[in-house]
Amino acid sequence: MATNRTFTMIKPDGVENGHIGGILNMITEGGFKIVSLKLTQLTVADAQGFYAVHAARPFFGELVEFMTRGPIVAAILEKDNAVEDFRTLIGATNPADAAEGTIRKKYATSIGENAVHGSDSDENAAIEGAFHFAGREQF
């Protein structure tokens, strides 16, 4: 059964390009309630830990460098069927393949700089939310 919470982060490119407000607006217009939100900066160790599943991949170093180059906005979102609905809202990883009306179609510039992260499963949503937010920060 699907849970009603998911994790997202506006990546450094989305923050740098001034899209925090636009992305958050699309999220709330998509029916999601923002239950936790913060602007933060990942350290190299943070990024390596968060993306550990990709550690053996050739792009890992570039990913860590990208994710630590500037601040991110981390958020926990709530809605029925949150993970699946949010994956639909953000669109395909490659913005060229993303559907019209999706966050990545509007704000991403490339596969690597795709503006936003969204959890890919209920299990990962819980893990990723706990990675970025202490228990007292999750409402």
Side-chain angles (χ1 to χ4, degrees):
M1 178 166 78
T3 62
N4 66 348
R5 287 200 171 177
T6 193
F7 172 78
T8 188
M9 117 177 81
I10 301 174
K11 296 179 180 180
D13 59 312
V15 174
E16 291 164 3
N17 293 325
H19 298 310
I20 296 171
I23 291 170
L24 293 177
N25 188 55
M26 288 183 74
I27 289 169
T28 58
E29 284 182 352
F32 291 88
K33 177 182 176 186
I34 299 169
V35 296
S36 297
L37 178 75
K38 68 179 169 184
L39 178 73
T40 189
Q41 175 96 29
L42 296 176
T43 65
V44 169
D46 292 335
Q48 288 172 335
F50 188 79
Y51 289 106
V53 67
H54 299 302
R57 298 220 169 130
F59 60 82
F60 183 69
E62 289 176 31
L63 176 62
V64 169
E65 186 177 329
F66 165 61
M67 291 304 299
T68 58
R69 81 175 188 206
I72 57 116
V73 174
I76 296 175
L77 310 176
E78 190 171 76
K79 180 184 180 189
D80 288 342
N81 200 35
V83 171
E84 185 177 332
D85 285 1
F86 192 66
R87 299 291 293 178
T88 299
L89 178 64
I90 65 175
T93 303
N94 183 345
D97 298 332
E100 289 298 327
T102 63
I103 291 171
R104 288 179 172 153
K105 186 68 167 185
K106 186 167 186 176
Y107 295 113
T109 58
S110 69
I111 293 173
E113 296 198 10
N114 57 23
V116 66
H117 166 85
S119 299
D120 62 3
S121 69
D122 291 331
E123 180 182 52
N124 283 339
I127 292 167
E128 293 170 355
F131 183 92
H132 285 277
F133 293 93
R136 66 181 173 78
E137 297 177 308
Q138 297 184 42
F139 300 100

